[in-house]
Amino acid sequence: MALHNINYFHWHLSEDRGWRIEIKKYPKLTEIGSTRDSTIIDSKTNKYDRMPHKGFYTQDEVREIVRYAADRFITVVPEIDMPGHMMAALASYPELGCTGGPYSVPCKFGVFKDVLCAGNDQTLQFCKDVLEEVMAIFPSEYIHIGGDECPKTSWKQCEDCQALIRKENLKDEFELHAYFIQQVEKIAEGLGRKLIGWDEVLEGGLPLKATVMSWRGEAGGIKAAQLGNNVIMTPNTYCYLDYYQENPEFAPLAIGGFISLEQVYDYEPIPEALTAEEAKHIIGIQGNIVGRICCYY
């Protein structure tokens, strides 16, 4: 990365299929959430490898990586995804979900309907506690909280979530999602940090100061820039570097398909749809690789 003058490393440290960073206040996140029983190896035949997969970084190991990167003028931006992509956390602390479980760490890819319960007072306290420990390790001015791929199924059926919607005069579960992100943004600001979220954070229509990372094409980035939010462009149509780069006839076998090196190289991150003033909100681009361990500049 340093050889290519890349100056940020976006490190995705939590997911449905594993929690990968030590949180001292919540030891079960790594005692339980860092291990899955198996991994799917063929989605067509539903075949699994029947091998446990586990592991996490201690806080000291993370500090070592942060120092190593800093010595090379690279800032590490951590991501703790919320309120979706939290199955590993729910398996560890089922009281944070809408149903109370039981939950398990998934062994296959996909988006899961069980997410953090937005109507549970413990949920925001959990998020605050986790972010405080994460921010104590990472000096970056930014903290990434995901905000993507959060189904609203469990919230629609949850009495606590519905009660919060009524209490806060929210229109629906999408506004509840935006409300949740707003509360997390206040936590980050209180700790002197700026928030980054994937483009789904815009869907509820409530105002946010967060920088928006546009991954589902450019539409989310264009909308965010027009609203006055800063934007990092990383559209999957150009910037997902783990797609096939040659032999397009094999594209159906790849997750997402084929993107040529020429297509990536020729990408113009400032869309023509933006005015000169709006274009100033495009502050960078990012290239994503497997597991969304990413870099942007």
Side-chain angles (χ1 to χ4, degrees):
M1 289 175 60
L3 287 172
H4 290 283
N5 294 321
I6 296 172
N7 58 355
Y8 283 91
F9 175 60
H10 168 190
W11 197 4
H12 201 322
L13 287 162
S14 71
E15 250 291 354
D16 288 309
R17 288 155 289 277
W19 188 281
R20 301 299 176 211
I21 182 172
E22 176 189 25
I23 303 296
K24 296 183 184 296
K25 194 165 186 176
Y26 296 93
K28 291 181 183 179
L29 288 173
T30 47
E31 291 171 4
I32 297 173
S34 69
T35 302
R36 63 179 180 271
D37 295 334
S38 185
T39 298
I40 194 165
I41 55 177
D42 190 332
S43 58
K44 293 182 179 179
T45 61
N46 222 28
K47 183 179 179 181
Y48 291 78
D49 63 8
R50 299 181 181 180
M51 295 171 53
H53 293 260
K54 60 183 178 179
F56 64 92
Y57 295 91
T58 67
Q59 292 191 5
D60 285 342
E61 288 172 333
V62 173
R63 287 189 181 95
E64 182 181 353
I65 292 169
V66 170
R67 285 195 301 269
Y68 185 90
D71 288 344
R72 288 152 183 80
F73 306 100
I74 295 167
T75 300
V76 184
V77 177
E79 177 178 347
I80 304 296
D81 210 337
M82 58 182 75
H85 288 303
M86 272 282 183
M87 286 297 293
L90 292 178
S92 307
Y93 294 95
E95 64 271 22
L96 298 175
C98 290
T99 66
Y103 306 105
S104 61
V105 181
C107 298
K108 62 181 180 180
F109 305 105
V111 177
F112 300 90
K113 67 179 179 63
D114 289 305
V115 301
L116 291 178
C117 179
N120 184 345
D121 291 338
Q122 294 182 65
T123 297
L124 279 177
Q125 186 62 52
F126 167 80
C127 295
K128 183 176 187 292
D129 293 339
V130 168
L131 291 178
E132 282 180 341
E133 288 198 32
V134 169
M135 292 179 191
I137 304 169
F138 294 89
S140 164
E141 65 176 320
Y142 292 105
I143 180 79
H144 201 308
I145 51 84
D148 62 313
E149 296 180 327
C150 178
K152 311 302 186 289
T153 307
S154 59
W155 290 356
K156 290 179 179 179
Q157 301 168 352
C158 174
E159 292 182 5
D160 291 335
C161 289
Q162 292 304 311
L164 183 59
I165 288 175
R166 292 190 296 270
K167 177 184 175 183
E168 298 296 334
N169 295 315
L170 304 174
K171 184 170 62 177
D172 54 21
E173 289 75 24
F174 286 93
E175 281 201 2
L176 178 60
H177 182 267
Y179 173 83
F180 178 90
I181 301 298
Q182 278 185 333
Q183 305 315 302
V184 176
E185 185 169 63
K186 291 177 183 177
I187 292 170
E189 288 180 339
L191 296 168
R193 305 302 177 93
K194 298 176 182 178
L195 214 65
I196 300 179
W198 300 104
D199 54 65
E200 285 95 327
V201 300
L202 296 171
E203 290 180 347
L206 301 185
L208 291 168
K209 300 175 186 176
T211 295
V212 174
M213 196 169 273
S214 186
W215 74 277
R216 298 176 301 172
E218 294 183 319
I222 292 171
K223 178 180 178 181
Q226 290 171 340
L227 290 171
N229 294 73
N230 285 342
V231 175
I232 297 165
M233 281 296 193
T234 178
N236 57 351
T237 45
Y238 292 94
C239 296
Y240 273 54
L241 306 182
D242 51 355
Y243 286 11
Y244 273 113
Q245 298 176 18
E246 57 184 354
N247 297 327
E249 65 268 24
F250 297 129
L253 301 177
I255 297 176
F258 168 76
I259 296 178
S260 69
L261 178 61
E262 181 181 17
Q263 189 173 346
V264 175
Y265 184 82
D266 287 344
Y267 176 57
E268 170 51 61
I270 300 178
E272 294 182 358
L274 298 179
T275 66
E277 193 62 31
E278 292 166 345
K280 294 177 182 178
H281 289 291
I282 309 295
I283 63 170
I285 61 174
Q286 172 168 292
N288 292 348
I289 59 175
V290 173
R292 290 205 191 102
I293 298 175
C294 325
C295 49
Y296 64 90
Y297 56 93

